[in-house]
PDB file of all heavy atoms in Angstrom:
ATOM      1  N   THR A  23     -92.393-129.842 -83.889  1.00 98.00           N
ATOM      2  CA  THR A  23     -92.930-128.851 -84.829  1.00 98.00           C
ATOM      3  C   THR A  23     -92.808-127.420 -84.320  1.00 98.00           C
ATOM      4  O   THR A  23     -92.313-126.536 -85.037  1.00 98.00           O
ATOM      5  CB  THR A  23     -94.405-129.171 -85.144  1.00 98.00           C
ATOM      6  OG1 THR A  23     -94.454-130.386 -85.895  1.00 98.00           O
ATOM      7  CG2 THR A  23     -95.048-128.062 -85.962  1.00 98.00           C
ATOM      8  N   ASP A  24     -93.263-127.147 -83.107  1.00 98.00           N
ATOM      9  CA  ASP A  24     -93.212-125.774 -82.597  1.00 98.00           C
ATOM     10  C   ASP A  24     -91.775-125.271 -82.488  1.00 98.00           C
ATOM     11  O   ASP A  24     -91.490-124.110 -82.776  1.00 98.00           O
ATOM     12  CB  ASP A  24     -93.900-125.684 -81.242  1.00 98.00           C
ATOM     13  CG  ASP A  24     -95.415-125.821 -81.338  1.00 98.00           C
ATOM     14  OD1 ASP A  24     -95.967-125.584 -82.424  1.00 98.00           O
ATOM     15  OD2 ASP A  24     -96.040-126.175 -80.319  1.00 98.00           O
ATOM     16  N   LEU A  25     -90.871-126.143 -82.065  1.00 98.00           N
ATOM     17  CA  LEU A  25     -89.464-125.767 -81.959  1.00 98.00           C
ATOM     18  C   LEU A  25     -88.869-125.507 -83.338  1.00 98.00           C
ATOM     19  O   LEU A  25     -88.158-124.509 -83.539  1.00 98.00           O
ATOM     20  CB  LEU A  25     -88.687-126.866 -81.240  1.00 98.00           C
ATOM     21  CG  LEU A  25     -87.201-126.622 -81.019  1.00 98.00           C
ATOM     22  CD1 LEU A  25     -86.969-125.405 -80.140  1.00 98.00           C
ATOM     23  CD2 LEU A  25     -86.532-127.855 -80.416  1.00 98.00           C
ATOM     24  N   ASP A  26     -89.158-126.380 -84.305  1.00 98.00           N
ATOM     25  CA  ASP A  26     -88.622-126.207 -85.658  1.00 98.00           C
ATOM     26  C   ASP A  26     -89.105-124.889 -86.271  1.00 98.00           C
ATOM     27  O   ASP A  26     -88.322-124.154 -86.891  1.00 98.00           O
ATOM     28  CB  ASP A  26     -89.054-127.372 -86.550  1.00 98.00           C
ATOM     29  CG  ASP A  26     -88.429-128.691 -86.147  1.00 98.00           C
ATOM     30  OD1 ASP A  26     -87.364-128.678 -85.502  1.00 98.00           O
ATOM     31  OD2 ASP A  26     -89.007-129.742 -86.478  1.00 98.00           O
ATOM     32  N   ILE A  27     -90.388-124.600 -86.118  1.00 98.00           N
ATOM     33  CA  ILE A  27     -90.933-123.373 -86.692  1.00 98.00           C
ATOM     34  C   ILE A  27     -90.346-122.150 -85.994  1.00 98.00           C
ATOM     35  O   ILE A  27     -89.929-121.182 -86.648  1.00 98.00           O
ATOM     36  CB  ILE A  27     -92.469-123.380 -86.608  1.00 98.00           C
ATOM     37  CG1 ILE A  27     -93.048-124.405 -87.581  1.00 98.00           C
ATOM     38  CG2 ILE A  27     -93.038-121.988 -86.911  1.00 98.00           C
ATOM     39  CD1 ILE A  27     -94.552-124.596 -87.487  1.00 98.00           C
ATOM     40  N   GLY A  28     -90.285-122.190 -84.672  1.00 98.00           N
ATOM     41  CA  GLY A  28     -89.753-121.045 -83.950  1.00 98.00           C
ATOM     42  C   GLY A  28     -88.316-120.732 -84.306  1.00 98.00           C
ATOM     43  O   GLY A  28     -87.968-119.575 -84.577  1.00 98.00           O
ATOM     44  N   LEU A  29     -87.477-121.754 -84.347  1.00 98.00           N
ATOM     45  CA  LEU A  29     -86.074-121.527 -84.692  1.00 98.00           C
ATOM     46  C   LEU A  29     -85.910-121.131 -86.151  1.00 98.00           C
ATOM     47  O   LEU A  29     -85.034-120.335 -86.488  1.00 98.00           O
ATOM     48  CB  LEU A  29     -85.254-122.778 -84.369  1.00 98.00           C
ATOM     49  CG  LEU A  29     -85.157-123.135 -82.878  1.00 98.00           C
ATOM     50  CD1 LEU A  29     -84.286-124.373 -82.684  1.00 98.00           C
ATOM     51  CD2 LEU A  29     -84.613-121.968 -82.068  1.00 98.00           C
ATOM     52  N   GLY A  30     -86.752-121.676 -87.022  1.00 98.00           N
ATOM     53  CA  GLY A  30     -86.702-121.294 -88.427  1.00 98.00           C
ATOM     54  C   GLY A  30     -87.069-119.841 -88.633  1.00 98.00           C
ATOM     55  O   GLY A  30     -86.422-119.115 -89.407  1.00 98.00           O
ATOM     56  N   LEU A  31     -88.114-119.388 -87.952  1.00 98.00           N
ATOM     57  CA  LEU A  31     -88.511-117.987 -88.054  1.00 98.00           C
ATOM     58  C   LEU A  31     -87.445-117.063 -87.473  1.00 98.00           C
ATOM     59  O   LEU A  31     -87.144-116.007 -88.043  1.00 98.00           O
ATOM     60  CB  LEU A  31     -89.839-117.769 -87.328  1.00 98.00           C
ATOM     61  CG  LEU A  31     -91.076-118.405 -87.956  1.00 98.00           C
ATOM     62  CD1 LEU A  31     -92.290-118.190 -87.067  1.00 98.00           C
ATOM     63  CD2 LEU A  31     -91.339-117.838 -89.348  1.00 98.00           C
ATOM     64  N   LEU A  32     -86.857-117.462 -86.345  1.00 98.00           N
ATOM     65  CA  LEU A  32     -85.836-116.622 -85.729  1.00 98.00           C
ATOM     66  C   LEU A  32     -84.598-116.525 -86.613  1.00 98.00           C
ATOM     67  O   LEU A  32     -84.013-115.443 -86.765  1.00 98.00           O
ATOM     68  CB  LEU A  32     -85.475-117.183 -84.355  1.00 98.00           C
ATOM     69  CG  LEU A  32     -84.480-116.377 -83.521  1.00 98.00           C
ATOM     70  CD1 LEU A  32     -84.944-114.944 -83.346  1.00 98.00           C
ATOM     71  CD2 LEU A  32     -84.276-117.043 -82.165  1.00 98.00           C
ATOM     72  N   ALA A  33     -84.190-117.635 -87.227  1.00 98.00           N
ATOM     73  CA  ALA A  33     -83.033-117.598 -88.131  1.00 98.00           C
ATOM     74  C   ALA A  33     -83.297-116.664 -89.307  1.00 98.00           C
ATOM     75  O   ALA A  33     -82.426-115.885 -89.708  1.00 98.00           O
ATOM     76  CB  ALA A  33     -82.717-119.007 -88.624  1.00 98.00           C
ATOM     77  N   ALA A  34     -84.511-116.732 -89.867  1.00 98.00           N
ATOM     78  CA  ALA A  34     -84.847-115.849 -90.984  1.00 98.00           C
ATOM     79  C   ALA A  34     -84.924-114.397 -90.531  1.00 98.00           C
ATOM     80  O   ALA A  34     -84.557-113.477 -91.272  1.00 98.00           O
ATOM     81  CB  ALA A  34     -86.170-116.283 -91.609  1.00 98.00           C
ATOM     82  N   ALA A  35     -85.395-114.165 -89.312  1.00 98.00           N
ATOM     83  CA  ALA A  35     -85.500-112.799 -88.803  1.00 98.00           C
ATOM     84  C   ALA A  35     -84.134-112.166 -88.615  1.00 98.00           C
ATOM     85  O   ALA A  35     -83.958-110.963 -88.864  1.00 98.00           O
ATOM     86  CB  ALA A  35     -86.276-112.794 -87.482  1.00 98.00           C
ATOM     87  N   THR A  36     -83.145-112.936 -88.166  1.00 97.00           N
ATOM     88  CA  THR A  36     -81.818-112.353 -87.924  1.00 97.00           C
ATOM     89  C   THR A  36     -81.193-111.835 -89.209  1.00 97.00           C
ATOM     90  O   THR A  36     -80.346-110.934 -89.167  1.00 97.00           O
ATOM     91  CB  THR A  36     -80.873-113.381 -87.261  1.00 97.00           C
ATOM     92  OG1 THR A  36     -80.722-114.523 -88.116  1.00 97.00           O
ATOM     93  CG2 THR A  36     -81.412-113.817 -85.912  1.00 97.00           C
ATOM     94  N   GLU A  37     -81.611-112.369 -90.341  1.00 96.00           N
ATOM     95  CA  GLU A  37     -81.104-111.886 -91.628  1.00 96.00           C
ATOM     96  C   GLU A  37     -81.746-110.567 -92.042  1.00 96.00           C
ATOM     97  O   GLU A  37     -81.293-109.928 -92.991  1.00 96.00           O
ATOM     98  CB  GLU A  37     -81.352-112.936 -92.705  1.00 96.00           C
ATOM     99  CG  GLU A  37     -80.658-114.271 -92.447  1.00 96.00           C
ATOM    100  CD  GLU A  37     -81.047-115.334 -93.454  1.00 96.00           C
ATOM    101  OE1 GLU A  37     -81.944-115.041 -94.297  1.00 96.00           O
ATOM    102  OE2 GLU A  37     -80.476-116.436 -93.407  1.00 96.00           O
ATOM    103  N   ARG A  38     -82.802-110.171 -91.320  1.00 97.00           N
ATOM    104  CA  ARG A  38     -83.561-108.974 -91.680  1.00 97.00           C
ATOM    105  C   ARG A  38     -83.388-107.835 -90.680  1.00 97.00           C
ATOM    106  O   ARG A  38     -84.008-106.782 -90.839  1.00 97.00           O
ATOM    107  CB  ARG A  38     -85.050-109.338 -91.795  1.00 97.00           C
ATOM    108  CG  ARG A  38     -85.364-110.259 -92.962  1.00 97.00           C
ATOM    109  CD  ARG A  38     -86.748-110.884 -92.828  1.00 97.00           C
ATOM    110  NE  ARG A  38     -87.224-111.488 -94.065  1.00 97.00           N
ATOM    111  CZ  ARG A  38     -86.829-112.668 -94.542  1.00 97.00           C
ATOM    112  NH1 ARG A  38     -85.934-113.384 -93.851  1.00 97.00           N
ATOM    113  NH2 ARG A  38     -87.295-113.139 -95.669  1.00 97.00           N
ATOM    114  N   LEU A  39     -82.562-108.021 -89.654  1.00 97.00           N
ATOM    115  CA  LEU A  39     -82.363-106.982 -88.652  1.00 97.00           C
ATOM    116  C   LEU A  39     -81.606-105.798 -89.232  1.00 97.00           C
ATOM    117  O   LEU A  39     -80.818-105.944 -90.178  1.00 97.00           O
ATOM    118  CB  LEU A  39     -81.606-107.555 -87.457  1.00 97.00           C
ATOM    119  CG  LEU A  39     -82.329-108.648 -86.673  1.00 97.00           C
ATOM    120  CD1 LEU A  39     -81.388-109.269 -85.648  1.00 97.00           C
ATOM    121  CD2 LEU A  39     -83.576-108.108 -85.999  1.00 97.00           C
ATOM    122  N   ASP A  40     -81.805-104.616 -88.634  1.00 94.00           N
ATOM    123  CA  ASP A  40     -81.142-103.431 -89.182  1.00 94.00           C
ATOM    124  C   ASP A  40     -79.669-103.351 -88.814  1.00 94.00           C
ATOM    125  O   ASP A  40     -78.939-102.512 -89.347  1.00 94.00           O
ATOM    126  CB  ASP A  40     -81.881-102.150 -88.772  1.00 94.00           C
ATOM    127  CG  ASP A  40     -81.843-101.876 -87.271  1.00 94.00           C
ATOM    128  OD1 ASP A  40     -81.009-102.469 -86.561  1.00 94.00           O
ATOM    129  OD2 ASP A  40     -82.649-101.052 -86.809  1.00 94.00           O
ATOM    130  N   GLY A  41     -79.197-104.212 -87.898  1.00 90.00           N
ATOM    131  CA  GLY A  41     -77.778-104.260 -87.581  1.00 90.00           C
ATOM    132  C   GLY A  41     -77.283-103.146 -86.691  1.00 90.00           C
ATOM    133  O   GLY A  41     -76.085-102.983 -86.501  1.00 90.00           O
ATOM    134  N   ALA A  42     -78.200-102.371 -86.093  1.00 91.00           N
ATOM    135  CA  ALA A  42     -77.782-101.205 -85.309  1.00 91.00           C
ATOM    136  C   ALA A  42     -77.358-101.552 -83.897  1.00 91.00           C
ATOM    137  O   ALA A  42     -76.817-100.698 -83.189  1.00 91.00           O
ATOM    138  CB  ALA A  42     -78.927-100.189 -85.267  1.00 91.00           C
ATOM    139  N   ARG A  43     -77.615-102.792 -83.456  1.00 92.00           N
ATOM    140  CA  ARG A  43     -77.275-103.162 -82.077  1.00 92.00           C
ATOM    141  C   ARG A  43     -77.014-104.657 -82.007  1.00 92.00           C
ATOM    142  O   ARG A  43     -77.412-105.414 -82.895  1.00 92.00           O
ATOM    143  CB  ARG A  43     -78.409-102.784 -81.120  1.00 92.00           C
ATOM    144  CG  ARG A  43     -79.725-103.442 -81.486  1.00 92.00           C
ATOM    145  CD  ARG A  43     -80.895-102.769 -80.856  1.00 92.00           C
ATOM    146  NE  ARG A  43     -80.871-101.336 -81.045  1.00 92.00           N
ATOM    147  CZ  ARG A  43     -81.240-100.719 -82.174  1.00 92.00           C
ATOM    148  NH1 ARG A  43     -81.639-101.433 -83.227  1.00 92.00           N
ATOM    149  NH2 ARG A  43     -81.190 -99.428 -82.278  1.00 92.00           N
ATOM    150  N   THR A  44     -76.357-105.064 -80.938  1.00 95.00           N
ATOM    151  CA  THR A  44     -76.082-106.475 -80.731  1.00 95.00           C
ATOM    152  C   THR A  44     -77.360-107.195 -80.318  1.00 95.00           C
ATOM    153  O   THR A  44     -78.114-106.722 -79.468  1.00 95.00           O
ATOM    154  CB  THR A  44     -75.019-106.656 -79.647  1.00 95.00           C
ATOM    155  OG1 THR A  44     -73.808-106.024 -80.069  1.00 95.00           O
ATOM    156  CG2 THR A  44     -74.760-108.134 -79.372  1.00 95.00           C
ATOM    157  N   VAL A  45     -77.600-108.349 -80.915  1.00 97.00           N
ATOM    158  CA  VAL A  45     -78.726-109.207 -80.557  1.00 97.00           C
ATOM    159  C   VAL A  45     -78.155-110.512 -80.030  1.00 97.00           C
ATOM    160  O   VAL A  45     -77.334-111.159 -80.686  1.00 97.00           O
ATOM    161  CB  VAL A  45     -79.655-109.456 -81.760  1.00 97.00           C
ATOM    162  CG1 VAL A  45     -80.736-110.470 -81.410  1.00 97.00           C
ATOM    163  CG2 VAL A  45     -80.285-108.149 -82.227  1.00 97.00           C
ATOM    164  N   LEU A  46     -78.581-110.883 -78.830  1.00 97.00           N
ATOM    165  CA  LEU A  46     -78.101-112.085 -78.169  1.00 97.00           C
ATOM    166  C   LEU A  46     -79.210-113.121 -78.157  1.00 97.00           C
ATOM    167  O   LEU A  46     -80.269-112.908 -77.548  1.00 97.00           O
ATOM    168  CB  LEU A  46     -77.675-111.763 -76.734  1.00 97.00           C
ATOM    169  CG  LEU A  46     -76.487-110.808 -76.596  1.00 97.00           C
ATOM    170  CD1 LEU A  46     -76.458-110.197 -75.212  1.00 97.00           C
ATOM    171  CD2 LEU A  46     -75.188-111.544 -76.889  1.00 97.00           C
TER     172      LEU A  46
END
């Protein structure tokens, strides 16, 4: 559960980044 939620939130967050820098 914790892994699924964390990765799900991170995937959704990457779609909302401003794109001004590389995120690794």
